Amino acid sequence: MRINFIKVYMLFFFISGCAVNNKHFTDKKNSNETPIKEHSTLAVLWQQNAAEYRALCHQAFNIARLRLDQFVTESKSNKPLAVITDIDETILDNSPYSVQLITNDENYNKGSWLEWGRRESATLVPGAYDFITHAERLGVEVFYVSNRYAEQLDETVNNLRKVGIDSVNASNVYLRVSESGKEPRRQKISETHEVVLLLGDNLSDFDHVYDGKNMSERNEYVTKMKTAFGQHFIVFPNPMYGDWESKGIYENKRLSEIEKRDMRHKKLRN
Ligand SMILES: [Mg+2]
C-alpha cells in the first residue's frame, strides 16, 4: 500500500516536471521564431517618427499652458500653486530603451532599466521645456512624481538638467520608495501646495482610482471623469508600454510569451 502511494507521488512529480519543461521549450522555440518584443516595433516607430506623436505632445502642453494661465488668474487659494508631472514619456522620451529591448530580444527588467537611466541620455518630449519654463515664469512650482526607483534620483535630476531643465532639484522629485501608487506623494505635495494640473502618460498619474484596475474598469473611470481631461488632467500618448498593456491587455497576470501573444489577439475586436 505504502509502495503504491510512493509510486503515485513520484508519477505526479514526473508529469508536473514534464509540463513545466514542455512549456519552457515551447516558449523558447517561439522566442527563436519571433523576437519577443517584435509586436512593439510599430509603437516605437510611431513615437520616434510620426509627426502626429509630436503634434499630440504639443497639443497636450498647449492645453496645459492655457489651463495654467487660467488657474493663475482665477486662483483664490492661500497656498502656492503647483503642477505635478510624471517624468517618463511625459517630460523625458525613453524610446531608445524600448528599441534596446527589441534589439536585445528581452522584456523590460530592472537591471537594463537602471543601466539605461545611468546613461542620462533621455531626450525631451516635444513641448516639455517650453511648458516647464512657462510655469516657472508664472511662479508655479513644478513637482516631478515618477515611478523611477529611488536609487535613480541623481541620474534623473542630472538627465533633466542636461536637457535644459536647470531649475529641477532633488527636493522636487518624488520617486518610488516602497509602493508604485502615487497618491501618498500627491497628498504630501497637496499639504503645502494647491495642485492645479497633473501631467502624465498613465492614468495612475492622475488619480488612485486607476491603480491596479483592469481594462473595463479603467475605461469606465475615464468616462466617469471625462470632464477632468484637458481640465486638470493632461494626458500624453504612450503606445510603447503602460498599465494599459500590463494590467489591461495582460490582465496583471504573469504570462508566457505565447500566452501574451494569444491575449493580444484575443483582445482585438472584430
Ligand atoms: Mg510615465
Side-chain angles (χ1 to χ4, degrees), residues 86-92 94 145-147 182 199-202 205 238 241:
D86 174 47
I87 295 177
D88 297 313
E89 278 32 87
T90 301
I91 301 296
L92 292 179
N94 297 279
V145 177
S146 160
N147 275 346
K182 293 183 170 181
L199 281 62
D201 64 298
N202 198 341
D205 294 328
N238 180 2
Y241 64 88

Coordinates of all heavy atoms in Angstrom, one line a residue, residues 86-92 94 145-147 182 199-202 205 238 241, ligand 1:
D86 N 4.5 63.6 -14.3 CA 5.2 62.4 -14.4 C 6.5 62.7 -15.1 O 6.6 63.8 -15.7 CB 4.3 61.4 -15.1 CG 5.1 60.1 -15.4 OD1 5.7 59.6 -14.5 OD2 5.0 59.7 -16.6
I87 N 7.4 61.8 -15.2 CA 8.7 62.1 -16.0 C 8.7 61.3 -17.3 O 8.8 61.9 -18.4 CB 9.9 61.8 -15.1 CG1 10.0 62.7 -13.9 CG2 11.2 61.9 -16.0 CD1 11.2 62.5 -12.9
D88 N 8.7 60.0 -17.2 CA 8.9 59.1 -18.4 C 7.7 59.1 -19.3 O 6.6 58.9 -18.9 CB 9.3 57.7 -17.9 CG 10.6 57.7 -17.1 OD1 11.5 58.4 -17.6 OD2 10.6 57.1 -16.0
E89 N 8.0 59.5 -20.5 CA 7.0 59.6 -21.6 C 6.0 60.7 -21.3 O 4.9 60.8 -21.9 CB 6.2 58.3 -21.8 CG 6.9 57.2 -22.7 CD 8.5 57.2 -22.6 OE1 9.0 56.6 -21.8 OE2 9.1 57.8 -23.5
T90 N 6.5 61.7 -20.5 CA 5.7 62.9 -20.2 C 6.7 64.1 -20.4 O 6.4 65.0 -21.1 CB 5.1 62.9 -18.8 OG1 4.2 61.8 -18.7 CG2 4.3 64.2 -18.6
I91 N 7.8 64.0 -19.7 CA 8.9 65.0 -19.9 C 10.1 64.4 -20.6 O 10.6 65.1 -21.5 CB 9.3 65.6 -18.5 CG1 8.2 66.1 -17.7 CG2 10.5 66.6 -18.7 CD1 7.5 67.4 -18.3
L92 N 10.4 63.2 -20.3 CA 11.6 62.5 -21.0 C 11.1 61.4 -21.9 O 10.2 60.6 -21.5 CB 12.5 62.0 -19.9 CG 13.3 63.0 -19.1 CD1 14.2 62.3 -18.1 CD2 14.1 64.0 -20.0
N94 N 11.9 58.0 -23.5 CA 12.8 56.8 -23.3 C 12.7 55.8 -24.4 O 13.0 54.6 -24.2 CB 12.4 56.1 -22.0 CG 12.6 57.0 -20.8 OD1 13.8 57.2 -20.3 ND2 11.6 57.7 -20.3
V145 N 6.7 63.6 -10.1 CA 6.3 62.4 -9.3 C 6.4 61.2 -10.3 O 5.6 61.1 -11.3 CB 4.9 62.5 -8.7 CG1 4.5 61.2 -8.1 CG2 4.8 63.7 -7.7
S146 N 7.4 60.4 -10.1 CA 7.7 59.3 -11.1 C 7.9 58.0 -10.4 O 8.3 58.0 -9.2 CB 9.0 59.7 -11.8 OG 9.6 58.6 -12.4
N147 N 7.6 56.9 -11.1 CA 7.9 55.6 -10.5 C 9.3 55.1 -10.9 O 9.5 53.9 -10.8 CB 6.8 54.6 -10.9 CG 5.6 54.7 -9.9 OD1 5.8 55.3 -8.8 ND2 4.5 54.2 -10.3
K182 N 0.9 56.5 -6.6 CA 1.4 57.8 -6.4 C 0.6 58.7 -5.5 O 1.0 59.8 -5.2 CB 1.5 58.5 -7.8 CG 2.6 57.9 -8.7 CD 2.7 58.6 -10.0 CE 3.9 58.1 -10.8 NZ 4.0 58.8 -12.1
L199 N 0.1 66.0 -15.0 CA 0.5 65.6 -16.4 C 1.0 64.2 -16.3 O 1.9 63.9 -15.5 CB 1.6 66.5 -16.9 CG 1.2 67.9 -17.5 CD1 0.6 68.8 -16.4 CD2 2.5 68.6 -18.0
G200 N 0.6 63.4 -17.3 CA 1.2 62.0 -17.3 C 0.7 61.2 -18.5 O -0.2 61.6 -19.2
D201 N 1.4 60.1 -18.7 CA 1.0 59.2 -19.8 C 0.3 57.9 -19.3 O -0.1 57.1 -20.2 CB 2.3 58.7 -20.6 CG 3.2 57.9 -19.7 OD1 3.6 58.4 -18.6 OD2 3.4 56.7 -20.0
N202 N 0.1 57.8 -18.0 CA -0.6 56.6 -17.5 C -1.7 57.1 -16.5 O -1.5 58.1 -15.8 CB 0.5 55.9 -16.6 CG 0.1 54.4 -16.4 OD1 -1.1 54.1 -16.5 ND2 1.0 53.6 -16.0
D205 N -1.2 58.3 -13.1 CA -0.6 59.6 -12.8 C -1.6 60.7 -12.3 O -1.2 61.7 -11.9 CB 0.1 60.1 -14.1 CG 1.3 59.2 -14.5 OD1 1.9 58.6 -13.7 OD2 1.5 59.2 -15.7
N238 N 1.4 57.3 -25.1 CA 2.5 56.3 -24.9 C 2.0 55.0 -25.4 O 1.4 54.2 -24.7 CB 2.9 56.2 -23.4 CG 4.0 55.2 -23.3 OD1 4.5 54.6 -24.3 ND2 4.5 54.9 -22.0
Y241 N 4.3 51.2 -23.8 CA 4.1 50.4 -22.5 C 3.2 51.2 -21.6 O 2.8 52.4 -21.8 CB 5.5 50.2 -21.8 CG 6.1 51.5 -21.4 CD1 5.8 52.0 -20.1 CD2 7.0 52.2 -22.2 CE1 6.4 53.2 -19.7 CE2 7.5 53.4 -21.8 CZ 7.3 53.9 -20.5 OH 7.8 55.1 -20.1
Ligands
MG1 MG 5.2 57.9 -17.5

